Amino acid sequence: MNRQSQAAVLFLLGAALLHAGTTDLYLRYVKAGLRPLLLAAGAVLIVAAAATVWYERRRAGEEDDHSHPEPRVSWLLILPLLALILIAPPALGSYSATRTGTALQEPLAYPALPAKDPLPLSVVDYAGRAVYGHGRTLAGRQVQLTGFLALDHDGTAYLVRMALNCCAADAQPVKVALTGDLPPVLQPDTWLAVTGTYTPRQSRDPVNNGPIPFLQVTTVKPVATPKDPYDESYNN
């Protein structure tokens, strides 16, 4: 691939990063706090592409160009970039969740909860309070969790949120098992708002033997996939 082709690839890569960073697409790959860096990287790549084109044109004007044509197959390198722009892959879902052990860790503290009914909590927050706080801050409260549905090989239903440290490459699931008033038909990867109450019942993750708390379900409502499908409250 000659310099002009390299400049074209740099430009397309920069444009793809800017496209992702100026829309919600980037949230499928990295945490929200990295957006400025993503936009800066895209801008730098476009500037580098422009500088490469300028340099090559200047050099061509000063000397004869004896370069040989490059194989056209090298242009196939831009296909992944076009796929990123035109066909965005979905966020990680139930397939990854059922094949990866729960990443639940003991929280550093249990902040006071607001007096709301039902009380909206993240999957990570509920799981930490239920397992390591033994439900002391959850007793007698109606809580509402939002996540996607995953089904274990034995049919156990989990409400899951993938937790991020940095990007989708290090995403790990935190799971809450569901019991009680569940719909007769459960479709994996369906996003749900689940209302219920704390129960001391727990199980062990079949993948890594990590703790999984249960939620006693009272109502289940399908919801749209959130703009940010990952839970960034984990290990921040």
Side-chain angles (χ1 to χ4, degrees):
M1 181 177 287
N2 59 27
R3 290 289 182 89
Q4 299 287 352
S5 301
Q6 293 172 7
V9 172
L10 284 175
F11 176 83
L12 289 173
L13 180 56
L17 292 178
L18 290 179
H19 169 69
T22 53
T23 65
D24 294 325
L25 178 60
Y26 80 102
L27 292 172
R28 301 184 184 184
Y29 306 102
V30 299
K31 62 195 308 182
L34 295 179
R35 185 178 195 174
L37 295 178
L38 195 67
L39 293 173
V44 167
L45 287 173
I46 289 178
V47 170
T52 300
V53 171
W54 176 83
Y55 173 79
E56 283 299 298
R57 286 184 176 180
R58 181 180 178 183
R59 187 173 67 89
E62 296 175 350
E63 60 184 41
D64 293 333
D65 187 2
H66 298 292
S67 61
H68 299 284
E70 301 294 330
R72 293 183 179 179
V73 70
S74 61
W75 284 100
L76 292 176
L77 293 172
I78 71 172
L79 291 181
L81 303 179
L82 295 177
L84 175 63
I85 298 173
L86 302 176
I87 311 172
L92 298 176
S94 62
Y95 181 87
S96 298
T98 55
R99 288 161 177 78
T100 307
T102 181
L104 183 63
Q105 296 180 5
E106 185 172 3
L108 298 177
Y110 301 97
L113 298 174
K116 294 183 178 180
D117 188 27
L119 172 67
L121 289 177
S122 70
V123 170
V124 173
D125 194 9
Y126 173 84
R129 291 172 184 270
V131 172
Y132 298 106
H134 307 290
R136 287 186 292 268
T137 59
L138 302 172
R141 303 293 303 271
Q142 284 274 333
V143 299
Q144 185 177 78
L145 314 181
T146 300
F148 64 84
L149 186 69
L151 297 177
D152 204 353
H153 59 84
D154 63 357
T156 302
Y158 299 121
L159 192 70
V160 184
R161 204 71 182 252
M162 302 297 287
L164 287 185
N165 281 325
C166 173
C167 58
D170 62 31
Q172 295 178 290
V174 174
K175 311 172 188 179
V176 172
L178 303 178
T179 186
D181 191 8
L182 299 176
V185 179
L186 298 173
Q187 295 293 332
D189 293 309
T190 302
W191 280 83
L192 304 172
V194 179
T195 302
T197 56
Y198 164 76
T199 171
R201 181 182 174 188
Q202 294 184 20
S203 65
R204 309 303 296 187
D205 193 301
V207 179
N208 67 349
N209 202 40
I212 297 179
F214 273 75
L215 178 71
Q216 184 71 31
V217 176
T218 53
T219 62
V220 176
K221 180 177 68 174
V223 295
T225 303
K227 291 182 179 180
D228 187 352
Y230 299 110
D231 191 327
E232 297 183 18
S233 64
Y234 169 75
N235 203 27
N236 271 356

